[in-house]
Amino acid sequence: MAKPSGAAGGFRVINWAGFTGAVSYTFDDSNSSQIQNYDTLNALDVPFTFYLQTGKSESTNSVWQRALSDGHELGNHTKSHSSNDSGADTDAATQFIESRFGTKVWTMAAPNGSSVYTGIARTRFLINRGVANNLIGPNDSTDPFTLPCYIPPTGASTTVLDQQVTSARDAKKWRTVLVHGFTGGSDGAYQPIGLQAFVDHVKHSKALGDMWLDSVVNVGSYWRGQKAVSSATTSTSGGATTYTWQLPANFPPGKYLRVTVTGGTLKQNGVPLNWDPHGYYEVALDAKSVTLSP
Ligand SMILES: [Zn+2]
């Protein structure tokens, strides 16, 4: 796409980085059937989010360090998986993951979907995933601390899984999916599904070609970053417009949004941004402002 050459203006964040919609696949409870099938899951080449229940011995498995280096996200599912917490059990899981795997924890998933974690997460994380199914739209009012998610029924077929992605695509929204484990395992996973059904489903999602399949922290940063920039304050000076935003608490560094304009020059920290011929400028969220001048 050619660089916009019209009048300076029309500053707009591109939904879902230019994809039609988004899907995040999450795995809870550090279950052994996830560990046993990790190589098959990783071969799908989609960044997943693994929510570790750190009080389980499976959370010490070396597979999680590999998952991290393979580009997956390790998230917090608390230490003890209680429906009640003062925050201490959540913090114990963060401490475990951060000290053991040398990564920062940005998101959590509420054990049993318990609402107590909505408040706990608000002061600690970017996102808390709940368990009620719904879609998440650009700039909508979905609570990031009770983020919806789809849990497939036991033995769900590829077709049943595909429908959840198709409906997200049709609505141009984001869906998160929660799989606890796979059929045939000995981990007592909640509502396990067949590994092959899941693999075939993810391949179908990839083959659509226009769905953003990525971890909760990656899609979630874009979603929350877009909301921040969409509510930026504007100021004008000498024909230039500056958009200034605040990032939410517990926001990961080094994140970007794709934006477009009708024309003009975009600058951050005085440096002009380069037009990407795929159809966007990349705005660094950390800079907290961008200026559009004629
Ligand atoms: Zn769980």
Side-chain angles (χ1 to χ4, degrees):
M1 290 176 66
K3 180 176 173 174
S5 55
F11 177 77
R12 177 174 67 82
V13 178
I14 299 170
N15 293 341
W16 311 124
F19 292 88
T20 300
V23 180
S24 295
Y25 295 101
T26 67
F27 298 87
D28 285 14
D29 301 349
S30 312
N31 277 329
S32 60
S33 62
Q34 299 166 20
I35 297 171
Q36 284 150 7
N37 295 306
Y38 174 77
D39 288 338
T40 301
L41 297 173
N42 186 49
L44 289 164
D45 199 23
V46 170
F48 297 130
T49 299
F50 294 96
Y51 285 113
L52 302 188
Q53 180 186 330
T54 63
K56 290 172 71 170
S57 60
E58 288 86 347
S59 290
T60 65
N61 195 291
S62 61
V63 75
W64 307 121
Q65 191 76 64
R66 285 176 51 210
L68 194 62
S69 62
D70 289 333
H72 304 289
E73 176 188 10
L74 301 184
N76 184 321
H77 199 41
T78 76
K79 179 181 179 184
S80 309
H81 208 281
S82 170
S83 291
N84 232 318
D85 183 20
S86 63
D89 198 61
T90 300
D91 291 340
T94 296
Q95 213 272 331
F96 177 96
I97 295 167
E98 294 191 346
S99 63
R100 189 171 190 96
F101 302 116
T103 187
K104 180 112 172 74
V105 177
W106 297 106
T107 76
M108 78 171 293
N112 314 310
S114 171
S115 60
V116 74
Y117 293 100
T118 297
I120 287 170
R122 203 176 295 282
T123 55
R124 291 167 170 81
F125 299 113
L126 179 73
I127 276 173
N128 169 49
R129 200 215 63 221
V131 295
N133 192 20
N134 215 336
L135 290 166
I136 303 136
N139 294 312
D140 78 1
S141 59
T142 300
D143 183 356
F145 301 105
T146 314
L147 199 75
C149 106
Y150 167 69
I151 306 176
T154 303
S157 67
T158 298
T159 305
V160 162
L161 294 162
D162 286 350
Q163 284 165 351
Q164 296 292 320
V165 171
T166 304
S167 55
R169 184 179 184 229
D170 290 345
K172 298 182 167 60
K173 292 185 177 182
W174 177 29
R175 189 173 323 269
T176 74
V177 177
L178 161 54
V179 174
H180 289 84
F182 297 101
T183 312
S186 57
D187 51 18
Y190 178 72
Q191 295 185 181
I193 63 174
L195 178 65
Q196 195 58 48
F198 179 76
V199 166
D200 290 344
H201 159 67
V202 174
K203 286 179 176 174
H204 289 174
S205 299
K206 289 181 72 174
L208 293 170
D210 63 353
M211 290 298 282
W212 183 14
L213 311 179
D214 211 334
S215 61
V216 173
V217 66
N218 286 345
V219 179
S221 297
Y222 200 95
W223 176 62
R224 295 204 65 193
Q226 179 175 12
K227 286 185 76 167
V229 172
S230 297
S231 58
T233 58
T234 61
S235 61
T236 56
S237 171
T241 304
T242 296
Y243 302 83
T244 303
W245 59 85
Q246 297 297 319
L247 287 176
N250 309 303
F251 197 90
K255 296 297 186 184
Y256 292 79
L257 293 179
R258 292 174 177 177
V259 308
T260 190
V261 293
T262 49
T265 300
L266 278 175
K267 290 182 183 175
Q268 288 194 286
N269 298 319
V271 179
L273 303 183
N274 292 317
W275 173 252
D276 187 300
H278 293 99
Y280 55 82
Y281 293 97
E282 280 201 321
V283 167
L285 284 164
D286 290 335
K288 296 183 181 171
S289 77
V290 63
T291 299
L292 177 61
S293 55

